[in-house]
Amino acid sequence: MQVNTLNGSFRSQIVLLAVAVFLFAWSAASAVSASPRAAPTNVLFIVVDDLRCSLGCYGDPEVKSPNIDRLSARGVRFERAYCQYPVCNPSRTSFLTGLRPDTTGILDNEIPFRRKMPNVVTLPQLFREHGYFSAGLGKLFHQGLDPSGNRVFFQDAKSWADCRNFEATAEGRRGEGRSLTGGKLAWCQWLAAEGGDDAQPDGQSAAEAIRLLEKHRDKPFFLGVGFHKPHDPFFAPKRYFELYPTERIQLARDPENRTPDLPLAIPRGANREAFDQFTDRERREFRRAYYAGISFTDAQVGKLLDALDRLKLWDSTVVVFIGDHGYHLGEHGWWNKVTVFELCARTPLIVWAPGTKGMGRSTSGIVEFVDLYPTIADLCGLAPPSGLEGTSFRPLLDDPSRTGKRAAYTQVVRGRFMGRSVRTDRWRYTEWDCGKQGVELYDHNVDPLEYHNLASDPRHSAIVAELKTILRDGGH
Ligand SMILES: [Ca+2]
């Protein structure tokens, strides 16, 4: 009896031991499967309005951008990132919904995206629906004018738990400045403003973003910060203008032997007529004011990076930095956006993604802004909605030497016609109204600013045929 009891007790101990060993092995296996790349918790998404790749980290010799350069040195800098539409509302709607402009139907700055897509789940909304605190400060979705001509932001209650915009103070509206067109174009003016950063909306956005980081550091957050400069009107605190003595500003000079631009390649109208009247002095002032806006925004980005340092958030936060599209500063005689030239389609993109292996490098793999949504969701372990039209570029974050996409697509409406452009590793190919209003072909091996249109050269008929097919694919 005693022996049996002992035997029974011994058997119980064996069973308990076996269970313990099993539980230990199971928990260890679970830890192994979950631990190598625990998903980062937070997202800091920085969108800069109208920022082209004029940054120190992109090789610009004049622009001072030490803080964005600092982020570039830490993360992965994309040398070939392309927006889908070179205008604020269509571009932002596209990358914040993960859908191409043909799908969103948003092709101008007038229509809030919810009017066309009441049920779409936006990128910040996806995080919000997964329990994140989501906040948007400054310009994330577009701002536009209401029927009375008042400026309104296309705020989206489904996307943000907290969404705010800021106004310049009275001091921030005073200073030295002038219209560059004798008042003909209201937007085309600069102001070296009195007051500090916080007298401007972007300075206030940065300050509030830091407050939110401090408040929400211990819970998952998706924080969008949209800086409005270097967008026009070119207002920034005076000290950022002082970084750029006007007489030292270099000007773009279109080559004499370039192919004339096609009629639809650059918009006609009042803007162009005013640009044609610019003196070199005005050209230098325009560039200087745009650069001052970049350096002002760069300083605000620096404050956010400092906050990530201080709050020890780098290991748990994905940081994405983009411009919403590029810009011309006199190239092709144009001083604005709304073209599908490389200068407008290409945009800065820098990503810091903890846990990936390629940080601190750059990549020439092609990516599109429509890829941002699935990439950010992927990095944070969230399943995106079905039907997104981009793909995650996480593999490039692990290995920046990999090949990216075969092609990037950018489109723009010009009057009654659509221009569609595709960029491959070597070429840019553009059709206006399916080619009926003109075709462009540029060889980026020798012509980075796209001054020599080769589309009608019979020696390039094979590549034109190939690119025509890629353009028809449309990225789908
Ligand atoms: Ca913009």
Side-chain angles (χ1 to χ4, degrees), residues 219-240:
K219 35 196 154 166
F221 63 80
F222 182 106
L223 176 57
V225 186
F227 293 118
H228 193 250
K229 297 304 143 188
H231 192 290
D232 68 76
F234 308 108
F235 293 3
K238 184 182 179 186
R239 66 188 174 101
Y240 299 101

Side-chain angles (χ1 to χ4, degrees), residues 72 74-78 349-351 358-363 397 400:
S72 171
R74 181 189 279 264
V76 169
R77 184 181 72 254
F78 288 77
L349 169 63
I350 300 167
V351 179
M359 295 297 104
R361 297 166 63 189
S362 66
T363 177
L397 296 170

Side-chain angles (χ1 to χ4, degrees), residues 48-51 86-89 92 139 231 324-325 337:
V48 183
D49 208 352
D50 288 15
L51 177 66
V87 175
C88 303
N89 193 32
R92 290 161 185 259
K139 181 173 168 181
H231 192 290
D324 63 345
H325 50 73
K337 48 215 176 190

